[in-house]
Amino acid sequence: KRYNKEMINILRETTLKLKELSGVDPLLNIPNRRRLFEQLKLDIERRRRHHLPLTIAMIDVDNFKKINDKYGHHMGDEVLKNTVKILSKYTRKSDALGRLGGDEFVIIMVGNNINQAKVVCEKLCRIVQKHRHPKVGSVNISIGVAELTDNNSEETLLLKADKALYRAKAKGGNRVEG
């Protein structure tokens, strides 16, 4: 019986660890797309229950392909790591930062309306631009911001942020659109 209890405890711990790891981006150690979408669903429910504003910021590193092509993928990974450190440092602990994939990230901001989120995101653009990456130098980000309304689904919210991000990129990048 004791052996069985020990094995069961080991299996439980291993299962919990695997579940935790399956939601974390291995390069950047932040929530991955799957975990981010789970968090968004929870935050939308919380927002509706407590009548709070909820805004998302979709972030893209400008000209990231050129960085990889010129300096190699290893340096591109370093740029992503440094960018995530900056984004993490200058967002609230209550915000959720995660990686959508590639060089795209999302920040979920419960309690911020779109105007408040734009102010935060403009600050993030300036801070990221001021940082000097080894070999690469200055890097810019573009951000699309969207606020959840009562008739939005999570898909609609993400689509609105994505369209805003494309507008920011179309206007030359290194800017916030919402």
Side-chain angles (χ1 to χ4, degrees), residues 6 28 31-32 38 69 75 84 107 119 154 160 165 167:
E6 287 178 28
L28 304 172
N32 63 17
E38 289 171 359
D69 290 348
M75 192 54 61
V84 164
I107 301 173
V119 169
E154 106 190 30
K160 284 174 30 179
L165 174 61
R167 284 195 308 274

Side-chain angles (χ1 to χ4, degrees), residues 13-28:
E13 289 175 18
T14 303
T15 302
L16 286 173
K17 187 67 175 172
L18 286 172
K19 186 174 181 181
E20 178 186 321
L21 290 173
S22 71
V24 176
D25 181 88
L27 176 67
L28 304 172

Side-chain angles (χ1 to χ4, degrees), residues 9-163:
N9 285 336
I10 290 170
L11 286 172
R12 279 189 188 133
E13 289 175 18
T14 303
T15 302
L16 286 173
K17 187 67 175 172
L18 286 172
K19 186 174 181 181
E20 178 186 321
L21 290 173
S22 71
V24 176
D25 181 88
L27 176 67
L28 304 172
N29 200 32
I30 60 173
N32 63 17
R33 182 184 193 100
R34 187 173 67 83
R35 174 78 51 81
L36 190 65
F37 287 170
E38 289 171 359
Q39 184 65 49
L40 182 58
K41 285 179 185 180
L42 291 172
D43 284 342
I44 287 173
E45 290 174 20
R46 182 170 52 136
R47 176 259 181 208
R48 289 191 169 132
R49 190 171 49 249
H50 297 290
H51 307 287
L52 298 168
L54 181 142
T55 307
I56 64 167
M58 193 172 287
I59 303 163
D60 186 78
V61 178
D62 293 337
N63 303 308
F64 186 70
K65 184 178 178 345
K66 289 180 182 177
I67 293 168
N68 275 337
D69 290 348
K70 184 173 182 178
Y71 300 100
H73 290 276
H74 175 72
M75 192 54 61
D77 288 349
E78 291 305 311
V79 166
L80 292 178
K81 289 176 187 176
N82 287 332
T83 302
V84 164
K85 282 180 189 173
I86 295 166
L87 295 174
S88 296
K89 182 176 179 179
Y90 291 97
T91 54
R92 300 173 303 179
K93 292 200 184 306
S94 61
D95 295 337
L97 168 66
R99 186 178 189 186
L100 273 183
D103 61 321
E104 288 189 336
F105 305 94
V106 167
I107 301 173
I108 305 168
M109 295 178 258
V110 177
N112 278 8
N113 65 34
I114 195 161
N115 292 326
Q116 293 165 324
K118 283 181 182 179
V119 169
V120 169
C121 290
E122 287 167 0
K123 179 181 173 184
L124 291 173
C125 279
R126 288 190 306 273
I127 293 168
V128 168
Q129 184 183 37
K130 285 181 184 177
H131 180 78
R132 297 286 182 247
H133 298 272
K135 294 186 185 178
V136 176
S138 181
V139 172
N140 297 325
I141 58 174
S142 295
I143 305 177
V145 181
E147 184 175 359
L148 182 72
T149 61
D150 288 333
N151 53 356
N152 283 152
S153 66
E154 106 190 30
E155 293 83 17
T156 306
L157 178 64
L158 289 163
L159 183 61
K160 284 174 30 179
D162 193 45
K163 286 181 179 179

